[in-house]
Amino acid sequence: MPDLILTYTEASTTIQHHANILLSQKPTAVQVPLLAGIRRVLAEPILADRDQPPFPRSTRDGFACRSSDISTAKPLRIIGQLKAGDTWKGAPLATGEAIEIMTGAPVPVGADCVVMVEHVKVRDTILFINPDRALDPGENIVPSGAEAKSGSVIVPDGTRLAASHIAAAAACGYATVPVYTRPRVAILATGDELVPVDHTPLTYQIRNSNSYSLAAQITLAGAQPVILPVAPDDEAEIESAISSASGCDLLLLSGGVSMGKYDFVEQALLTLGAEFLFTGAKIQPGRPVVFGKLPQQYFFGLPGNPVSTMVTFLLFAQPLIAALSGETDGGPRFALAYLAHDFRAKPGLTRFLPARIHFSIDSPQATIIPWQGSGDLASTAGANGFVVIPSDTETLTAGDSVSILLV
């Protein structure tokens, strides 16, 4: 089998190409109660069932009046009061009149602005407006339909629903929402050295943490993890285990994709008719990552070192899971931060180094965490992101802007 080792950009482009193919094959849609839709992907757009707001709405506590009256600086006569949930039942507001109004209340006919309560004085039923105040027509009023017109798209299909989308759907009268079914993602860890997490490992054994980290990442990505029994370092056993995952939408294999004498995963995949789309990426950690397609599903061969597994999932598997879910913009997610210290790197690979990101409005800062390589879970547990070091970079200085891979 020829080596298909790509740069990060080339590998990412390959993933996006196949994600687009999956997005063209829409999953099955189901109707679920509104709150059950959180983190699910919307199958049909949420539409406004009426104008939003359905009436001219006051954005301030104050007094509804005419802007032409304010320009004269003459006192106004207060003829009533309106709170949210009420409507004005009297005659349209006339020149020289004002109505006390609360935030969210409908502005009465005849009024074209709202003067804030902080800018007035009241004596009995007479309103005195600060002489230095001048209001334009429409000030402190949201016109009817300014936020959305009836029938317009509020949340497009293909959106993974967050709390703001749930709120918008509720405001439009959606007691249930149409969402796509969640893809089932099989997890197959391989290796004679692996023991269950509740076992006491011998000195030459390790607990199977990768199946759990992948299951957690799959769940956070909105899919259903299916953890398969660990496959030993035996080609026939690995073939049998891969075949048992045929009913799942995606297969993630962990371990056995390096160049070792007992790394049988790639040969087992070839025997089962796999097409390899790349067999490595010029990244650290995660260089041995494999991506391809079996007759029944796409698959990833993820490196066995746990941090490599997590990083390659974020970079490559998560966007494919998003596409399988019907999500139109599934990541990976990046942000910018300032590096808190100087750093030297060896060029040649795009590096994703565990970091602690201090987020702030003005200047988010990233500190790279010292670690012992891609097997160092203890150090990585203190990270909330990964600093991206471009492949052509040797030196970074404190204060440099860097890209962050978000977890």
Side-chain angles (χ1 to χ4, degrees):
M1 181 182 66
D3 286 339
L4 298 169
I5 300 174
L6 308 183
T7 65
Y8 169 65
T9 299
E10 291 168 340
S12 179
T13 300
T14 299
I15 294 294
Q16 190 56 57
H17 170 73
H18 289 275
N20 290 338
I21 292 173
L22 290 171
L23 279 171
S24 68
Q25 305 162 4
K26 296 295 186 184
T28 303
V30 294
Q31 202 80 14
V32 300
L34 180 58
L35 282 179
I38 193 72
R39 301 299 302 153
R40 301 287 292 272
V41 178
L42 194 62
E44 298 174 13
I46 300 293
L47 304 178
D49 65 331
R50 59 177 182 167
D51 286 351
Q52 295 185 9
F55 50 79
R57 184 182 68 218
S58 175
T59 63
R60 297 287 188 272
D61 292 336
F63 292 84
C65 52
R66 292 171 174 261
S67 56
S68 56
D69 283 343
I70 293 178
S71 63
T72 66
K74 293 181 179 178
L76 304 178
R77 184 167 62 91
I78 301 170
I79 62 171
Q81 183 185 83
L82 267 175
K83 65 179 188 297
D86 283 349
T87 186
W88 181 248
K89 298 180 176 63
L93 194 72
T95 298
E97 296 178 337
I99 296 174
E100 187 175 9
I101 193 167
M102 311 305 167
T103 300
V107 177
V109 174
D112 67 353
C113 67
V114 173
V115 60
M116 294 166 59
V117 69
E118 296 93 326
H119 301 145
V120 302
K121 293 181 180 178
V122 176
R123 294 177 189 166
D124 296 326
T125 60
I126 304 300
L127 179 70
F128 298 88
I129 300 171
N130 292 356
D132 59 345
R133 296 304 301 170
L135 272 73
D136 295 323
E139 195 157 342
N140 298 325
I141 297 173
V142 178
S144 173
E147 298 166 352
K149 294 294 186 182
S150 178
S152 64
V153 174
I154 304 297
V155 185
D157 59 315
T159 299
R160 191 172 295 278
L161 294 173
S164 59
H165 305 128
I166 297 295
C172 294
Y174 284 75
T176 64
V177 284
V179 295
Y180 291 122
T181 53
R182 286 191 289 252
R184 298 174 74 243
V185 181
I187 302 167
L188 176 57
T190 68
D192 291 338
E193 74 278 17
L194 300 179
V195 297
V197 295
D198 57 353
H199 282 44
T200 300
L202 301 174
T203 55
Y204 54 87
Q205 295 176 319
I206 59 172
R207 293 186 177 95
N208 176 22
S209 65
N210 282 354
S211 289
Y212 287 86
S213 70
L214 286 172
Q217 288 182 298
I218 290 165
T219 301
L220 291 172
Q224 301 179 66
V226 179
I227 299 178
L228 302 176
V230 172
D233 289 323
D234 177 271
E235 188 175 338
E237 293 273 7
I238 293 172
E239 285 181 28
S240 176
I242 292 172
S243 297
S244 73
S246 61
C248 292
D249 300 289
L250 178 66
L251 170 62
L252 303 183
L253 300 114
S254 171
V257 294
S258 297
M259 300 299 292
K261 183 176 181 180
Y262 295 101
D263 292 332
F264 296 121
V265 166
E266 290 188 18
Q267 185 55 52
L269 288 165
L270 278 173
T271 301
L272 293 169
E275 174 191 2
F276 286 85
L277 300 166
F278 59 76
T279 58
K282 295 178 182 179
I283 62 174
Q284 182 200 29
R287 184 183 175 98
V289 63
V290 172
F291 173 54
K293 190 174 184 182
L294 286 160
Q296 67 274 18
Q297 72 214 145
Y298 284 97
F299 67 85
F300 286 95
L302 306 179
N305 279 335
V307 185
S308 297
T309 302
M310 287 189 286
V311 169
T312 49
F313 179 93
L314 291 170
L315 294 175
F316 304 127
Q318 181 171 293
L320 209 70
I321 290 172
L324 284 164
S325 305
E327 185 178 7
T328 54
D329 185 16
R333 300 181 305 135
F334 293 96
L336 292 177
Y338 296 102
L339 195 61
H341 53 85
D342 296 345
F343 187 81
R344 291 187 62 82
K346 185 178 179 180
L349 301 175
T350 303
R351 302 179 194 276
F352 300 86
L353 304 181
R356 189 70 195 170
I357 319 301
H358 174 70
F359 291 97
S360 66
I361 294 175
D362 298 326
S363 56
Q365 284 199 327
T367 301
I368 296 173
I369 296 173
W371 66 323
Q372 302 303 313
S374 57
D376 188 354
L377 272 178
S379 297
T380 306
N384 61 347
F386 294 86
V387 168
V388 183
I389 310 294
S391 61
D392 59 353
T393 297
E394 291 188 58
T395 303
L396 289 169
T397 303
D400 283 350
S401 179
V402 291
S403 185
I404 303 298
L405 172 63
L406 300 175
V407 298

